Amino acid sequence: MAGEWRTVRLGEITDWASGGTPPKDDAKYWGGAIPWISASSMYGNRYSDSELKLTETGLARGSRLAEVGTVLLLVRGSILHQRVPVGIATRPMAFNQDVKAIKAKEGLSPWFLLYWFLGKERNLLELVDFTGIGAGKFDTKQLQELPVNLPTLSEQEQIVAVVKALDDKIELNRRMNETLEAIARAMFKSWFIDFDPVRAKASGEPPESICRRLRLTPDLLALFPDRFVDSELGEIPEGWEVKPFSETVQIIGGGTPKTSVSEYWGGDIPWFSVVDAPAESDVFVIDTEKKITQTGLDDSSARILSAGTTIISARGTVGKVALVGVPMAMNQSCYGLRGLDGGSFFTYYATRELVSTLKQHSHGAVFDTITRNTFAGVSVVTFQPVVTAFETVVTPLMEKIKANSVQGRTLAELRDTLLPKLLSGELRVPVRSAS
């Protein structure tokens, strides 16, 4: 046992609070500036924003505010089958009834509390109750009884410094990816959705001004025409084509080896399912929760997808999009899409742009489903020279995103290896003297 450490109950050193949800059908509660955390916004372990936001009225009506430094833990949800979402509030935010706000008492570092939860995820998963229908849940009283091997506050802070240095780099990479991805997405929208270069040329704007404003070289600008023509989708650039999306991609199906055959599972071939879909800014999927063997691949309808293939979830949870970063297989609830004329990144962004339309065209008696015919029912506007130019321009951005994601995973693996040793006292860090 590590000296100067003491064993306490989690509930002794923390205060717990429950959240809530204002009525969803009342506009006065929503669309404000207060982030509202639910399972869908619990990515990573630093929470600063969310898609849904409350007004001050909404906060007073159905939720409460978690202060900066509060740990937010998901205690009910289907995702608890795979992982335990937990993070720390880096700005004041509200949270729903499926989330507990856990505040560290005096003598406990909030960041140490966060890393304690992260380091205990495997143990926590064993406590999830699945006896109900659908979502799993924690018994919070049971969680509060869990023993915590607690160092002195000084050593807590040193442990946090070691782990947080890794996390800071992971977070820096994530933010960089967010910026790079936003640039690539904005470029796609400007070129293929809004047709900004064509509109600028058609308006008579001088080429030098267009290039400066839209960050184009003269050679790139020359690829765009200076007028529009009518089409079934409205005005499109002269010389461009409207095509069914299915005619621009190869559509690839997936498969699942029999789960009852142990020889098919636990290999080294990543096998994608919807739980592996990355956050939008991450773009690439470079690892998966489950892996299969070569025998499992050979004895099933699964096939290897090459790097650069776009994956879209097509059944149940429809419309999750990822870009394959390393060769992998996927299950039958997804489709792989490969551009017929190259255009890996064009295909990826075109798929993301079409997600809402594909969802509208999905159907199914039990689950929403995208079929091969669904892809034939939506169209894209394309012109191969501009697609090729787009690939050339965005490839360095996308490769940097991929490299950052790979590095982030390596750092996360190192963090996850260190955490149990640091939390148990097996690995000690030197504590600086007060002088």
Side-chain angles (χ1 to χ4, degrees), residues 278-290:
E280 288 186 357
S281 61
D282 288 337
V283 177
F284 290 94
V285 56
I286 55 177
D287 198 10
T288 57
E289 180 182 298
K290 295 181 180 180

Side-chain angles (χ1 to χ4, degrees), residues 6 13 26 52 139 171 173 180 327 350 362 380 388 393 416:
R6 59 193 178 98
I13 55 177
D26 197 326
L52 292 176
D139 180 338
E171 177 68 8
N173 283 358
L180 294 172
S362 65
V380 293
T388 301
V393 173
D416 295 345

Side-chain angles (χ1 to χ4, degrees), residues 161-235:
V162 170
V163 182
K164 195 167 179 292
L166 298 173
D167 259 350
D168 285 346
K169 178 56 178 171
I170 295 171
E171 177 68 8
L172 179 63
N173 283 358
R174 186 195 67 78
R175 291 182 180 179
M176 186 183 301
N177 280 0
E178 199 171 62
T179 300
L180 294 172
E181 194 283 321
I183 292 171
R185 179 166 24 99
M187 188 181 304
F188 178 88
K189 186 174 185 296
S190 176
W191 291 17
F192 297 102
I193 304 300
D194 297 333
F195 311 123
D196 288 334
V198 183
R199 295 190 187 282
K201 292 177 77 169
S203 71
E205 182 178 350
E208 297 81 4
S209 173
I210 299 174
C211 288
R212 183 171 57 254
R213 183 170 60 85
L214 299 181
R215 298 183 179 181
L216 299 174
T217 64
D219 288 346
L220 283 175
L221 182 60
L223 297 175
F224 294 88
D226 59 3
R227 56 179 294 190
F228 290 92
V229 296
D230 290 332
S231 78
E232 62 194 78
L233 295 182
E235 286 190 335

Side-chain angles (χ1 to χ4, degrees), residues 73-397:
L73 173 71
L74 187 74
V75 295
R76 183 173 61 189
S78 57
I79 193 63
L80 292 175
H81 286 266
Q82 290 92 28
R83 64 185 182 91
V84 180
V86 60
I88 194 166
T90 58
R91 59 177 287 193
M93 54 182 48
F95 52 102
N96 78 355
Q97 63 275 11
D98 296 332
V99 177
K100 292 291 185 183
I102 308 171
K103 188 174 179 181
K105 292 183 178 180
E106 186 176 354
L108 175 63
S109 160
W111 282 91
F112 182 86
L113 177 62
L114 170 66
Y115 290 133
W116 184 87
F117 275 110
L118 291 173
K120 298 293 182 179
E121 181 178 39
R122 185 171 300 177
N123 306 84
L124 294 175
L125 284 171
E126 296 176 359
L127 302 178
V128 180
D129 179 7
F130 297 113
T131 56
I133 299 175
K137 62 180 180 179
F138 282 116
D139 180 338
T140 54
K141 290 184 178 179
Q142 184 182 28
L143 291 178
Q144 290 168 356
E145 291 298 318
L146 291 175
V148 178
N149 195 21
L150 190 66
T152 63
L153 184 57
S154 295
E155 192 161 356
Q156 289 177 44
E157 291 170 347
Q158 290 303 107
I159 290 172
V160 167
V162 170
V163 182
K164 195 167 179 292
L166 298 173
D167 259 350
D168 285 346
K169 178 56 178 171
I170 295 171
E171 177 68 8
L172 179 63
N173 283 358
R174 186 195 67 78
R175 291 182 180 179
M176 186 183 301
N177 280 0
E178 199 171 62
T179 300
L180 294 172
E181 194 283 321
I183 292 171
R185 179 166 24 99
M187 188 181 304
F188 178 88
K189 186 174 185 296
S190 176
W191 291 17
F192 297 102
I193 304 300
D194 297 333
F195 311 123
D196 288 334
V198 183
R199 295 190 187 282
K201 292 177 77 169
S203 71
E205 182 178 350
E208 297 81 4
S209 173
I210 299 174
C211 288
R212 183 171 57 254
R213 183 170 60 85
L214 299 181
R215 298 183 179 181
L216 299 174
T217 64
D219 288 346
L220 283 175
L221 182 60
L223 297 175
F224 294 88
D226 59 3
R227 56 179 294 190
F228 290 92
V229 296
D230 290 332
S231 78
E232 62 194 78
L233 295 182
E235 286 190 335
I236 66 170
E238 184 180 42
W240 290 35
E241 296 180 276
V242 175
K243 286 187 175 182
F245 188 46
S246 58
E247 293 183 10
T248 69
V249 295
Q250 176 191 7
I251 303 174
I252 307 165
T256 302
K258 289 184 178 179
T259 56
S260 59
V261 181
S262 60
E263 289 81 3
Y264 292 165
W265 298 90
D268 56 6
I269 300 173
W271 181 79
F272 180 94
S273 66
V274 68
V275 300
D276 301 304
E280 288 186 357
S281 61
D282 288 337
V283 177
F284 290 94
V285 56
I286 55 177
D287 198 10
T288 57
E289 180 182 298
K290 295 181 180 180
K291 295 181 174 62
I292 61 176
T293 63
Q294 186 63 46
T295 303
L297 180 71
D298 295 339
D299 291 352
S300 71
S301 58
R303 65 185 75 179
I304 293 293
L305 304 174
S306 59
T309 302
T310 293
I311 295 177
I312 182 170
S313 60
R315 184 173 184 268
T317 303
V318 172
K320 294 290 187 180
V321 181
L323 196 57
V324 173
V326 297
M328 64 180 57
M330 66 179 179
N331 72 7
Q332 67 275 14
S333 295
C334 302
Y335 285 112
L337 306 173
R338 292 287 299 180
L340 293 177
D341 297 313
S344 296
F345 303 131
F346 173 86
T347 298
Y348 171 76
Y349 281 106
T351 304
R352 281 183 54 171
E353 189 68 31
L354 291 170
V355 160
S356 60
T357 305
L358 290 168
K359 285 182 176 181
Q360 292 171 8
H361 286 74
S362 65
H363 62 278
V366 179
F367 297 105
D368 288 338
T369 304
I370 293 174
T371 67
R372 291 174 182 267
N373 287 336
T374 310
F375 294 111
V378 296
S379 298
V380 293
V381 179
T382 182
F383 181 56
Q384 189 56 45
V386 177
V387 171
T388 301
F390 178 77
E391 293 295 309
T392 301
V393 173
V394 302
T395 290
L397 303 180

